[in-house]
Amino acid sequence: MALAEARVRRYKWDVKYEFKSPDCYKKLVITINGRSPGPSILAQQGDTVVVEVTNGLVTENLAIHWHVIRQIGSPWSDGIEGVTQYPILPGDTFTYRFVIDRPGTYLYHAHYRMQRDAGLYGSIRVSLPDGVAEPFAYDYDKSIVLNDWYHKSTDEQAVGLSSIPFVWVEEPQSLLIQGKGKFKCSKLASPTLDPAACNATNPECSPYILTVIPGKTYRLRISSVTALSALSFQIEGHKMTIVEADGHYVEPIEAQHLFIYSGETYSVLIKIDQEPSRYYWITTNVVGRNDAATTPPGLAVLNYYPNHPKWVPPTDPPAGPIWNDVAPRLAQSLAIKARQGYVRTPPHKSDKVIVFLNTQNKINGYFRWSVNNVSFTLPHTPYLIALKDNLHHVFDQRPPPDSLQDFTNYDIYRVANNTNATSSNAIYRLKFNATVDIILQNANTMTVNNSETHPWHLHGHNFWVLGYGMGKFEANNDPKKYNLANPIMKNTVPVHPYGWTALRFVADNPGVWLFHRHIESHLYMGMAVVFEEGINRVGKLPMEIMGCGETKGFKRP
Amino acid sequence: MALAEARVRRYKWDVKYEFKSPDCYKKLVITINGRSPGPSILAQQGDTVVVEVTNGLVTENLAIHWHVIRQIGSPWSDGIEGVTQYPILPGDTFTYRFVIDRPGTYLYHAHYRMQRDAGLYGSIRVSLPDGVAEPFAYDYDKSIVLNDWYHKSTDEQAVGLSSIPFVWVEEPQSLLIQGKGKFKCSKLASPTLDPAACNATNPECSPYILTVIPGKTYRLRISSVTALSALSFQIEGHKMTIVEADGHYVEPIEAQHLFIYSGETYSVLIKIDQEPSRYYWITTNVVGRNDAATTPPGLAVLNYYPNHPKWVPPTDPPAGPIWNDVAPRLAQSLAIKARQGYVRTPPHKSDKVIVFLNTQNKINGYFRWSVNNVSFTLPHTPYLIALKDNLHHVFDQRPPPDSLQDFTNYDIYRVANNTNATSSNAIYRLKFNATVDIILQNANTMTVNNSETHPWHLHGHNFWVLGYGMGKFEANNDPKKYNLANPIMKNTVPVHPYGWTALRFVADNPGVWLFHRHIESHLYMGMAVVFEEGINRVGKLPMEIMGCGETKGFKRP
């Protein structure tokens, strides 16, 4: 695409709290220009996106992350408080400016403590340059964001997680499809002090209805921003063909259920070829956790045009897959390969291998999540500023471990004793342009015989998914089974119970990048690491990320 | 007192949210070092107080105001976001440092949006210099802070107030005496999702018990930080003698009820001279608003030593005064004069008179409170910084009106039509050392035949209370009735329904000072003005108030 064609897409967003009832229960929701999910960003590859965000929250700061946008040349626009910027104060306006370097299906969401859970999220859809065609055909293109939904405020959740005794966030109260869900108000047993707190007939919680034209093919861009839940997604009576994952073309796979983890995006094609006089359920169910009793499936409606769009399907919603059957989920992970003709082969060898053992620990009586026995804490001066300005005192300068010292003898099937777990804000400083392998090793939680599926998300990069395995990673054998022929590139990847996932990426994007579990509570409890690469190649930092209010432009004396 | 004797009192405060049940209902409460009310500050006149505040809230900024400390020479320590400092970000530590220039009974509390309501408050008790005696005798000295208590979060309250349709905060759920109240859990009708949300047997809501020694005299320092409520306070079977108000000695008055408005502090003396075998109620009731049905009285216990401190009195709590009887409240206001021998007479004439008509308005569909038809909004760059650094664009440079243009013809008994009400962040710039009279004129609210009692609080100064009157202030006659002989000096003063209150102060404290109604919701809705005086005499601003995190020390390029 000629540079001359690149456009600037400008958005002005007012972010504030409003009382909304996405699942019929009224609570404070963070809206963008009055909406949650916020406005979709539609752009073309090569466009520059400029989003002027005004923080109209009452007392809370804010930062917004552009999920899967690599921020090449603009690492300060990644939107991570403590990593790439100071947060945006109430009353302040901050301008994010970045180039969209790849086509595909992306997301944005809040990235300040657990604020994503409060409803600040939306979709980004990036089209191909003019004259370039997708490798598959479709007539219409729709974005659907999935979410799980909690009635407690994010501060109530966060305070519980960092309390002694520990208060878990519990299972979500409902699942939202494109911002709409249905909580059974009768579960509240009787009115609280506010009788209007739950209203099943509130139009804000009427189901999302996707009206489609018979005979046409639809591209559905499905993404998940759940706080906790792994999901399955299906459309009653319609097969889906997976064609894109995290912005990369997939060798087409037919699927009845799409399994999707928080932070992932997929495109599926569906043919509108069923009996046109009726309606079909669109459903999403929790998998991987046994919360069927507490979290009802998320329901939406596929409506064949020109039927009246308000009727509901005549059938019961189809059942979801068995929640604890890992096999089909692992099978989907393994089946997703780069599409023929679009394979970008990885470097054959890596320069560095890091094994990240994921464990749940107790540190000073607090429940924490740890990588190699180190639980991550954020400094409050962003790394990007600290590194560029040589503020060495801001974070622990000692490198964190590349693997658990005694990984060989570590029993992943036992509750960790982890007597030596610590908290740290130390970071991994990678050699610029190095090829790095990451092995994510799952293990038992603090509960006997329990290990769960968790998604990990890398900022600033796409990585190759070299392989998944069950059990403990064996450094001598498992790498021989890596798929170096046609691995998919992704940005978010699941790690299955008691399993491992192997990734490879090239540290070629100057900046400071978070790599973390895409579960709000787990990230808050320390499940993250930070990579730095090529900091000396990062351009002059914009003053806007530096401070707050009118002192933004102030300089070091 | 010799300067050499002055001490430095150092405090380290960790501020965070914790789940607490001050009135048996569990909610997020802002604590200092685990407590709400926070630790008392005990100091001696002339001491320097240094409070190192670490903001451990999750997402919210913070600022703390030292209520009635004049901050002579340290206007940047007044703790008002938008006026004297940028707020303290989560993770940041800010050091307040100020000299306590007068003995007496003071307060501290959060001063950022409506955060005071979340529980960040406490008492400051300042003793006389060594060798100087109080003009009254007592054996023991106790501080009791009164508060009203809401179950909604401060953000939920604030968002409702700034919504269309308007959502009023309603009456408080309970009254707290020294941080303890009793909400009837049965009012919740049946459990919400969280069955532990309300627990009448939680020790956190056991009543405050004041154990006293028969035959002794107690000085009780009673103060109020209510969000909304005007209160009466009484001790069953015991007369109180009012001896101090807002840090100034009062010509002693006997009282059965002490009427106290938010932001006021009083000292009363009580003799422990009743039947020693029993217990007595300490009660506080709402006056001025008809919320007896919704807000039960606050109850504590006066326990005669050595009785077992857990028993409750054998009687029903005494009834409070009639809620809408203004006469005894006005009588208390009028009765409070400076104590003989401690009278500081005011300047006989003033250089400037400002009449502040208080009205409730609608501006662009939003309910607002206004002074002379101008509803106050805070800029987000603090005035102190903007004025010192000549950032003229930060706020409206045009002076706000010294009175309503047509005040003479304004009918205070009618609902305001106020078609010309506006919002503004303009400020009053006073001539340094000028003597200024303020007339606070009450009027009808937006409700027909309704006017309420409201306290106003001035930062940075003590003022003389020259007079109170009912009806509309008459500039030609009312000043003739001013008490210039022995007016009390105060910092917070009530304005009675359809009445006026006249104050005089000398603008002799270089800085920028908020003057506002001490009701959280009304301040949030614009009921404030700002005075500037002697800005050119303000010393170099500490960099700490300037920005956030490590950029604090950065300077204008």
Short mmCIF file of all heavy atoms in Angstrom, two decimals, chain A residues 481-498:
data_model
loop_
_atom_site.label_atom_id
_atom_site.label_comp_id
_atom_site.label_asym_id
_atom_site.label_seq_id
_atom_site.Cartn_x
_atom_site.Cartn_y
_atom_site.Cartn_z
N LYS A 481 9.32 -31.96 18.80
CA LYS A 481 7.96 -32.07 18.22
C LYS A 481 7.40 -30.71 17.81
O LYS A 481 6.25 -30.63 17.38
CB LYS A 481 7.03 -32.74 19.24
CG LYS A 481 7.45 -34.15 19.64
CD LYS A 481 6.54 -34.71 20.74
CE LYS A 481 7.33 -34.99 21.99
NZ LYS A 481 6.51 -35.17 23.20
N TYR A 482 8.16 -29.63 17.99
CA TYR A 482 7.66 -28.31 17.63
C TYR A 482 7.23 -28.27 16.16
O TYR A 482 7.88 -28.84 15.28
CB TYR A 482 8.75 -27.25 17.82
CG TYR A 482 9.03 -26.85 19.25
CD1 TYR A 482 10.16 -26.08 19.54
CD2 TYR A 482 8.19 -27.21 20.31
CE1 TYR A 482 10.45 -25.69 20.84
CE2 TYR A 482 8.47 -26.82 21.61
CZ TYR A 482 9.60 -26.06 21.87
OH TYR A 482 9.89 -25.67 23.14
N ASN A 483 6.16 -27.57 15.89
CA ASN A 483 5.75 -27.32 14.52
C ASN A 483 6.47 -26.08 14.01
O ASN A 483 6.12 -24.95 14.36
CB ASN A 483 4.23 -27.11 14.47
CG ASN A 483 3.76 -26.67 13.09
OD1 ASN A 483 4.49 -26.78 12.10
ND2 ASN A 483 2.53 -26.17 13.04
N LEU A 484 7.50 -26.31 13.19
CA LEU A 484 8.23 -25.18 12.60
C LEU A 484 7.83 -24.97 11.15
O LEU A 484 8.31 -24.05 10.49
CB LEU A 484 9.74 -25.41 12.71
CG LEU A 484 10.28 -25.57 14.14
CD1 LEU A 484 11.77 -25.94 14.12
CD2 LEU A 484 10.07 -24.30 14.95
N ALA A 485 6.89 -25.81 10.69
CA ALA A 485 6.49 -25.75 9.28
C ALA A 485 5.41 -24.71 9.04
O ALA A 485 5.56 -23.84 8.17
CB ALA A 485 6.00 -27.13 8.83
N ASN A 486 4.33 -24.82 9.78
CA ASN A 486 3.22 -23.89 9.55
C ASN A 486 2.55 -23.45 10.85
O ASN A 486 1.33 -23.47 10.96
CB ASN A 486 2.19 -24.51 8.60
CG ASN A 486 1.54 -25.76 9.20
OD1 ASN A 486 2.05 -26.31 10.19
ND2 ASN A 486 0.43 -26.19 8.63
N PRO A 487 3.35 -23.06 11.85
CA PRO A 487 2.71 -22.64 13.10
C PRO A 487 1.91 -21.36 12.90
O PRO A 487 2.29 -20.50 12.11
CB PRO A 487 3.89 -22.41 14.05
CG PRO A 487 5.03 -22.07 13.15
CD PRO A 487 4.82 -22.89 11.90
N ILE A 488 0.81 -21.29 13.63
CA ILE A 488 0.03 -20.05 13.60
C ILE A 488 0.80 -18.98 14.38
O ILE A 488 1.54 -19.30 15.31
CB ILE A 488 -1.37 -20.29 14.23
CG1 ILE A 488 -2.28 -19.06 14.06
CG2 ILE A 488 -1.25 -20.65 15.71
CD1 ILE A 488 -2.79 -18.83 12.68
N MET A 489 0.62 -17.72 13.99
CA MET A 489 1.10 -16.63 14.83
C MET A 489 -0.09 -16.11 15.62
O MET A 489 -1.19 -15.99 15.08
CB MET A 489 1.71 -15.52 13.99
CG MET A 489 2.95 -15.97 13.25
SD MET A 489 3.97 -14.60 12.66
CE MET A 489 4.95 -14.22 14.10
N LYS A 490 0.13 -15.87 16.86
CA LYS A 490 -0.94 -15.37 17.71
C LYS A 490 -0.36 -14.34 18.68
O LYS A 490 0.83 -14.04 18.67
CB LYS A 490 -1.62 -16.51 18.50
CG LYS A 490 -2.51 -17.41 17.66
CD LYS A 490 -3.26 -18.43 18.52
CE LYS A 490 -4.71 -18.07 18.75
NZ LYS A 490 -5.02 -17.40 19.98
N ASN A 491 -1.24 -13.85 19.54
CA ASN A 491 -0.82 -12.90 20.58
C ASN A 491 -1.31 -13.36 21.94
O ASN A 491 -0.82 -12.92 22.96
CB ASN A 491 -1.41 -11.52 20.31
CG ASN A 491 -1.29 -11.16 18.86
OD1 ASN A 491 -0.28 -10.62 18.44
ND2 ASN A 491 -2.28 -11.51 18.06
N THR A 492 -2.31 -14.22 21.89
CA THR A 492 -2.89 -14.76 23.12
C THR A 492 -3.05 -16.25 22.92
O THR A 492 -3.50 -16.69 21.86
CB THR A 492 -4.26 -14.12 23.40
OG1 THR A 492 -4.13 -12.70 23.39
CG2 THR A 492 -4.83 -14.57 24.74
N VAL A 493 -2.67 -17.00 23.93
CA VAL A 493 -2.62 -18.44 23.75
C VAL A 493 -3.01 -19.14 25.04
O VAL A 493 -2.65 -18.68 26.13
CB VAL A 493 -1.19 -18.83 23.28
CG1 VAL A 493 -0.19 -18.74 24.41
CG2 VAL A 493 -1.16 -20.19 22.64
N PRO A 494 -3.79 -20.23 24.95
CA PRO A 494 -4.13 -20.93 26.19
C PRO A 494 -3.02 -21.88 26.65
O PRO A 494 -2.26 -22.38 25.85
CB PRO A 494 -5.37 -21.73 25.80
CG PRO A 494 -5.21 -21.99 24.34
CD PRO A 494 -4.48 -20.79 23.78
N VAL A 495 -2.97 -22.06 27.95
CA VAL A 495 -2.14 -23.10 28.54
C VAL A 495 -3.12 -24.04 29.24
O VAL A 495 -3.86 -23.61 30.12
CB VAL A 495 -1.14 -22.52 29.54
CG1 VAL A 495 -0.17 -23.60 30.03
CG2 VAL A 495 -0.36 -21.37 28.91
N HIS A 496 -3.12 -25.28 28.81
CA HIS A 496 -4.15 -26.22 29.27
C HIS A 496 -3.77 -26.83 30.62
O HIS A 496 -2.60 -26.77 31.02
CB HIS A 496 -4.40 -27.27 28.19
CG HIS A 496 -5.01 -26.70 26.95
ND1 HIS A 496 -6.32 -26.28 26.90
CD2 HIS A 496 -4.49 -26.42 25.72
CE1 HIS A 496 -6.59 -25.78 25.69
NE2 HIS A 496 -5.48 -25.86 24.95
N PRO A 497 -4.77 -27.41 31.33
CA PRO A 497 -4.50 -27.94 32.68
C PRO A 497 -3.33 -28.93 32.68
O PRO A 497 -3.29 -29.84 31.84
CB PRO A 497 -5.82 -28.64 33.03
CG PRO A 497 -6.86 -27.95 32.22
CD PRO A 497 -6.17 -27.56 30.94
N TYR A 498 -2.42 -28.76 33.60
CA TYR A 498 -1.23 -29.61 33.73
C TYR A 498 -0.45 -29.71 32.42
O TYR A 498 0.30 -30.66 32.21
CB TYR A 498 -1.59 -31.02 34.21
CG TYR A 498 -2.27 -31.06 35.57
CD1 TYR A 498 -3.60 -31.47 35.68
CD2 TYR A 498 -1.58 -30.70 36.72
CE1 TYR A 498 -4.22 -31.51 36.92
CE2 TYR A 498 -2.21 -30.73 37.97
CZ TYR A 498 -3.53 -31.13 38.06
OH TYR A 498 -4.14 -31.16 39.27
#
